[in-house]
Amino acid sequence: MYEGAIQDLIDELGRLPGVGPKSAQRIAFHVLSADPADVNRLAGALRKVKELVRFCTTCYNVAESEQCRICRDPRRTDEVLCVVEEPKDVVAVERTGEFRGRYHVLGGAINPLEGIGPDNLRIRELLIRLGGGGVRELILATDPNTEGEATATYLALMVKPMGIAVSRLASGLPVGGDLEYADEITLGRAFEGRRAV
């Protein structure tokens, strides 16, 4: 619809996940009307993240050095390893303040429809870490969807013969939720995972 640089910016913004055509246009015009110093800071942050950020050589979380801050933290236990799909999942677990172990980021989930199999994830690296000994429990914290469940089931089958305890995050009703709005799968899992009070 527009010509030249503004259309190029709209097109590039529209390629970002979760940014539709209208949002891309709105952001592009915001950038156009923004103070040049603000735009330069944004451009600098984008360049800096591509230059400095990489994946941790141990857990594959995002890091600015060889290892992420969690892998460098000596106060964390090596006996419990939490497997997540993406680095953003590490942040979600960390926000709870409940977990003091280590992580392993798979880089996605098994999804045959998208052509993503076990060999496309960091499962081999996980098995190597577990083979080194020291890990007593593996917590599978993949998403509670079809792909996450398939990944968790596959990992459980691979790890159980190693003699490591394997657990899965509980799923069910959210705090503050109403039973009438819960789907049958969520409600079924809530019944399966019920606990004594």
Side-chain angles (χ1 to χ4, degrees), residues 18 38 83 101 146:
D38 293 339
V83 176
T146 306

Side-chain angles (χ1 to χ4, degrees), residues 59-144:
C59 74
Y60 303 96
N61 190 13
V62 290
E64 286 193 18
S65 62
E66 184 110 351
Q67 287 189 313
C68 70
R69 65 175 178 78
I70 295 170
C71 286
R72 291 191 315 262
D73 188 346
R75 297 170 296 173
R76 294 204 170 244
T77 179
D78 293 325
E79 294 181 345
V80 183
L81 194 63
C82 181
V83 176
V84 296
E85 293 179 21
E86 302 290 344
K88 60 184 171 54
D89 301 327
V90 172
V91 174
V93 174
E94 283 297 290
R95 274 197 313 256
T96 69
E98 297 292 321
F99 183 66
R100 298 302 306 154
R102 308 280 182 184
Y103 293 92
H104 187 85
V105 180
L106 294 172
I110 295 171
N111 186 345
L113 296 176
E114 298 284 327
I116 302 170
D119 293 338
N120 302 108
L121 305 175
R122 296 186 189 101
I123 293 174
R124 187 179 320 104
E125 293 85 346
L126 172 63
L127 296 174
I128 291 168
R129 280 181 81 181
L130 296 174
V135 177
R136 290 192 356 223
E137 181 185 3
L138 186 70
I139 301 171
L140 302 174
T142 54
D143 290 342

